[in-house]
Amino acid sequence: MGTASSPGDAAVSRQAAGHGSGRRGQAARGVRALLQEHPAWVLLRSRNAAAAVVLLDRNLGARRRLPVEQLADRIDDDLPELRRAGFELPYSGYFYVSEWIDDGVLVRRRAPQAAGEQGAETVELSDGALLAIRFVSRLSRPHPAVTPSRLGTVLDGLHTLADEADPDPEARLASLLEQRAALDARIERARRGDDEALPPDAAAERAREILALAGDIPADLARVRTELERTDRELRRRLLESDGSRDTFLDDIYRGVDHLAESEAGRGLVAFRDLLRQAEHTAQDDVGRVLDTVHLTPAEASALRRLLPTLQDAADELTDTMATLRRALQRMVRSGELPAERALRRLLGEAQDAALAAAPEVTPGAEMRLRLPLGTVAPRSVGGFVPHNPGREDAEAPPAAPAAPPRAVSLTALRAMARDSEIDVDELRGHVNERVGAVGRATVASVLAAHPATQGAASVVGLLTLAEQNGVATGKDEDVNWRSSRGVARRAVLPQHQFEEHVP
């Protein structure tokens, strides 16, 4: 006998379906975000994914880290062969390295440096790039569909977990006695000579399974580094956002509490490092015995031989990274610069709030009518600045070199220094007046045609400023040509202003 559904039941069903579809939509948006942002997916869906995977694996798979220039040179050496193979790679190695850095495929870091020296900039594979290369490797060399060693690893791990996680002490004791009985039986068979070694094929299969499991560890360690750096940024953000009064978190940092080591990534790293150090000597002996008794290909034997040193180097490096981040965080608290950093953050926030408040009423292209006085600081590229790194301030700084005796400086040298830091407005005013006196009127283009821009773009900016202040806008545009301070020809299209009188 059927049951009639009520309107309320139908509404509940629609609501449940809506929740389900909402969850599916949210999951799909999350996958779409990964598709657009995750370095592994970005690398695999790029236009030259096949060539990129081969180049990155060949040049960074085993070395882990290279200077930017050296990696670009290596890519340049490999590109001709790939082009002959039919791959369309029109750009230089440095272009592709820069593109991979922008996409998050490569991570850029500073190499350790001696005191007083600038460390070289290096790049290494990100965790996403390692995942992508690992994925492609598994596709090209797939694991057999069913292997006893893989199933045995899963079942042994499951059995060990069940025994060690059981809260009943009697059950754990029974499991230990069972393991001891099985071990006693194996010992007795070995004494009688009945305990045979693994067949060569089974031993090689198990060794490959171990290498396959170990192949995922580098990507895990790269993720740990990323998580440590993210945690460090979060800790710094908390310090800047706190008001400093009765702040327990600030007191903890000042007293040396290691919040990085207490994070999930920090605890995992400490446990990984401790286990690796405890098993170091035994594992080295095991590697030697496996290489002596198990038949492996040269590539597999080399990978097994490098396994422990690679893991030890990676663990030590991550430990040093965590210690450096911790010291920099404590130095930030103890140096007395925290109030100034908080004040700067507050001013930036106020500026952003003011901009957001004005956004509904001011269009992006609105003319603000603000005057910026020139002549105090010369325009320079941001790339010319060397950022201050407080993490490199060692506790024991090298002794300062004795100050050199003062030298006499000529007036010509002082004028040259002034021209390096300010626009020579007097020179530009003289050039304009000379053209106006000779022709009767002049524009920025005609002045530059008669007198070269001795300060490059700074001279052009200075002339344009004089034109806006003393000239008349014609409503037209004009081509302006000059040479930079390095002699490179430059060209720009500027609003035309006409000088009709001498510039005072």
Side-chain angles (χ1 to χ4, degrees), residues 181-197:
L183 184 59
D184 289 340
R186 286 194 60 186
I187 292 173
E188 185 61 30
R189 289 197 301 271
R191 285 174 177 171
R192 297 195 306 266
D194 297 337
D195 190 31
E196 298 181 357

Side-chain angles (χ1 to χ4, degrees), residues 331-484:
R331 189 179 297 113
M332 177 181 177
V333 173
R334 297 174 178 175
S335 64
E337 298 177 357
L338 191 57
E341 295 284 347
R342 287 172 173 168
L344 178 60
R345 182 181 180 87
R346 183 176 64 256
L347 292 174
L348 291 174
E350 293 174 356
Q352 290 176 348
D353 293 341
L356 290 175
E361 302 176 2
V362 181
T363 61
E367 189 174 357
M368 303 303 294
R369 293 292 183 183
L370 297 177
R371 295 180 61 86
L372 180 63
L374 299 177
T376 55
V377 178
R380 291 185 180 179
S381 170
V382 178
F385 292 98
V386 178
H388 170 64
N389 182 6
R392 298 304 308 169
E393 295 177 358
D394 300 327
E396 296 181 0
R407 295 182 302 170
V409 180
S410 65
L411 182 59
T412 303
L414 290 175
R415 286 174 176 169
M417 293 173 61
R419 281 178 56 85
D420 288 340
S421 60
E422 296 186 1
I423 297 176
D424 193 344
V425 180
D426 291 337
E427 178 190 62
L428 299 177
R429 187 182 297 110
H431 292 169
V432 171
N433 292 339
E434 187 275 331
R435 283 287 85 197
V436 172
V439 183
R441 61 186 60 187
T443 64
V444 172
S446 64
V447 172
L448 288 174
H451 301 281
T454 57
Q455 292 181 291
S459 296
V460 180
V461 173
L463 283 173
L464 187 59
T465 302
L466 290 176
E468 291 178 347
Q469 294 174 349
N470 303 278
V472 177
T474 64
K476 302 177 182 179
D477 293 335
E478 64 176 349
D479 288 341
V480 176
N481 299 276
W482 74 95
R483 288 191 175 274
S484 69

